[in-house]
Amino acid sequence: MSGIYIHIPFCSQKCNYCDFYSIVPLARKAEFVKALIKEIILRKDYLSGEIVDTIYFGGGTPSVLSVSELSNIIEALAANFQHSKDLEMTFEANPEDLSISYLKEIKKLGINRLSIGVQSFRDSDLLFMKRTHNSLEALNSVLRATESGFENISIDLIYGLPNLSLNDWELNLKQAFQLPIKHLSSYHLTYEKQTLLYKQLLQKKFTPSTEDSSIAQFELLMDYTQQNNLPYYEISNFSIEGYYSKHNLSYWQQKKYLGLGPSAHSYNGRTREWNVSNLLKYLEGIKTRNRVFEKEILSPIDIENEFLITNLRTKWGIDLISYSEKFGALNKQKIIKDVESFVNQELVIYQQNTIKFSRKGILLSDFILEKLFRL
Ligand SMILES: C[S@@+](CC[C@H](N)C(=O)[O-])C[C@H]1O[C@@H](n2cnc3c(N)ncnc32)[C@H](O)[C@@H]1O
Ligand code: SF4
């Protein structure tokens, strides 16, 4: 069981908050697709012996690809990797790219899960974020996806935005749940150093949301998702039972994955490596069969920390039996002792051989995880 992540490093416009690697000119798109197909062939042994359960097109903006470019990539993947019969193939898309004809064509190629970057149903938020779509386009894109036969649809929404009142956020959530979605990814806005948003923050061009307002919005998110049958299963992810993102689950379950394209990460249980975050260097490296990447050998402590973080962020928490099998009975005892004070403060629940966050604990998850970190 393994996954493949493909990073498409192009966007038609850069959003002010985003520091994912992508560039705006599309001039080298065709050249990139050729290089990507070459990388698929060059690295086909990374998952040798493994069946691929999930393929995830992320970015950047995968929906800038033409149907034929996408078709060539998917064909190369099928020719070089063994796919599972119930492969989940997710495609991140921006609303304005999703015409009925495009949707129908990509569905024929085997894409069976869409992650649509709605971000907000309020035009003022979308303008502030420098998105290229408006709220009506966001709404219609979800309806068109359903009409084109997509059943497994996720949308992304951002909260904690400046000028987003609790009432506005509630309207956003209400709108989301009127749509035929099976999954929601919702992130609090983060201020990343290399972004325009960060610069605007330093220049005091807007007033950031307060901590109290962020907490209230997160609480509302938890309530609304629960009431609408898409309860929390990971801190930023909510879904109808059975519609969890299999791809994200595999990251959290430490399964192997291969990352293709600039900036994409790969993991094989012992090492993590990541391609260069620069299209020209990526193209040159693939052309000369001298791929530009960095690699980290994970220490046993790194592996334990990753297990801790990823499992605790989910609703299932840490299963102490598998913890003991993986990291030894002594480490299991240590983690039980380390969470004791959080259990007493009702931030962590320890019962039936599992440790997980309480609802109150989810709000303080970063703080708690830092304290549990192995050094
Ligand atoms: C990198 S984008 C790629 C998908 C697609 N291009 C889009 O914009 O929807 C994936 C998601 O990350 C989230 N994201 C990126 N940067 C963020 C930030 N600074 N704060 C909160 N969410 C962010 C957005 O919700 C976005 O939908
Ligand atoms: S959020 Fe999506 S569309 Fe916006 S810059 Fe990032 S990758 Fe591109």
Side-chain angles (χ1 to χ4, degrees), residues 95-343:
E96 67 275 20
D97 296 329
L98 296 179
S99 66
I100 289 267
S101 59
Y102 188 74
L103 283 158
K104 286 192 171 159
E105 290 299 327
I106 66 170
K107 186 161 187 297
K108 280 191 216 149
L109 299 179
I111 287 170
N112 52 21
R113 184 170 182 274
L114 282 179
S115 169
I116 305 179
V118 169
Q119 319 308 348
S120 175
F121 290 104
R122 284 184 1 124
D123 283 337
S124 56
D125 292 341
L126 295 166
L127 267 175
F128 172 77
M129 289 188 268
K130 300 210 176 304
R131 295 292 307 193
T132 42
H133 65 275
N134 61 32
S135 58
L136 188 65
E137 277 171 317
L139 199 123
N140 284 337
S141 68
V142 180
L143 299 176
R144 279 197 301 269
T146 311
E147 195 185 324
S148 311
F150 281 96
E151 187 237 354
N152 196 348
I153 301 172
S154 177
I155 64 169
D156 286 359
L157 287 179
I158 298 183
Y159 62 99
L161 289 163
N163 297 321
L164 182 76
S165 69
L166 192 60
N167 187 43
D168 297 331
W169 178 231
E170 184 167 10
L171 290 174
N172 255 346
L173 290 170
K174 275 194 177 147
Q175 177 60 81
F177 293 121
Q178 276 165 17
L179 292 170
I181 56 168
K182 297 285 195 296
H183 186 283
L184 168 70
S185 295
S186 191
Y187 311 97
H188 187 286
L189 180 70
T190 58
Y191 293 90
E192 307 294 340
K193 282 224 166 88
Q194 305 305 327
T195 60
L196 172 63
L197 181 74
Y198 189 74
K199 207 169 147 196
Q200 292 170 322
L201 176 73
L202 295 184
Q203 292 168 340
K204 300 197 172 17
K205 293 235 163 114
F206 58 83
T207 313
S209 77
T210 62
E211 199 180 331
D212 283 352
S213 131
S214 294
I215 291 175
Q217 291 183 19
F218 180 73
E219 294 278 6
L220 197 70
L221 173 66
M222 291 293 279
D223 290 341
Y224 258 75
T225 47
Q226 181 76 41
Q227 285 157 19
N228 286 278
N229 293 325
L230 278 83
Y232 136 94
Y233 71 101
E234 198 266 351
I235 288 179
S236 307
N237 289 284
F238 306 82
S239 110
I240 287 186
E241 180 71 33
Y243 284 88
Y244 311 121
S245 159
K246 277 208 277 177
H247 189 78
N248 287 345
L249 278 182
S250 69
Y251 289 154
W252 305 328
Q253 292 165 349
Q254 284 76 40
K255 291 191 184 149
K256 290 182 185 173
Y257 57 86
L258 168 66
L260 302 161
S263 81
H265 285 227
S266 306
Y267 170 76
N268 64 7
R270 300 175 309 280
T271 63
R272 185 177 308 289
E273 55 187 71
W274 53 98
N275 282 348
V276 64
S277 296
N278 177 304
L279 182 62
L280 292 181
K281 287 186 185 160
Y282 169 81
L283 292 173
E284 184 59 22
I286 298 292
K287 198 161 121 194
T288 57
R289 292 175 161 259
N290 207 358
R291 187 169 62 92
V292 188
F293 67 100
E294 286 182 67
K295 186 170 176 170
E296 177 188 21
I297 298 171
L298 299 169
S299 69
I301 290 181
D302 292 333
I303 293 173
E304 191 175 345
N305 278 333
E306 281 195 18
F307 185 91
L308 260 171
I309 300 173
T310 51
N311 283 274
L312 262 182
R313 285 176 60 96
T314 71
K315 70 167 179 179
W316 300 281
I318 295 175
D319 170 22
L320 289 170
I321 297 174
S322 60
Y323 199 87
S324 181
E325 280 164 13
K326 279 183 201 298
F327 306 110
L330 274 179
N331 280 346
K332 175 187 136 181
Q333 289 313 325
K334 191 166 181 318
I335 183 88
I336 294 171
K337 190 160 184 323
D338 288 353
V339 293
E340 209 173 80
S341 67
F342 299 122
V343 173

Side-chain angles (χ1 to χ4, degrees), residues 8 10-22 59-61 92 94 96 119 129-132:
I8 307 298
F10 301 101
C11 289
S12 47
Q13 187 171 300
K14 197 77 198 169
C15 307
N16 69 348
Y17 56 84
C18 178
D19 79 339
F20 284 69
Y21 177 65
S22 70
T61 307
E92 281 183 349
N94 287 17
E96 67 275 20
Q119 319 308 348
M129 289 188 268
K130 300 210 176 304
R131 295 292 307 193
T132 42

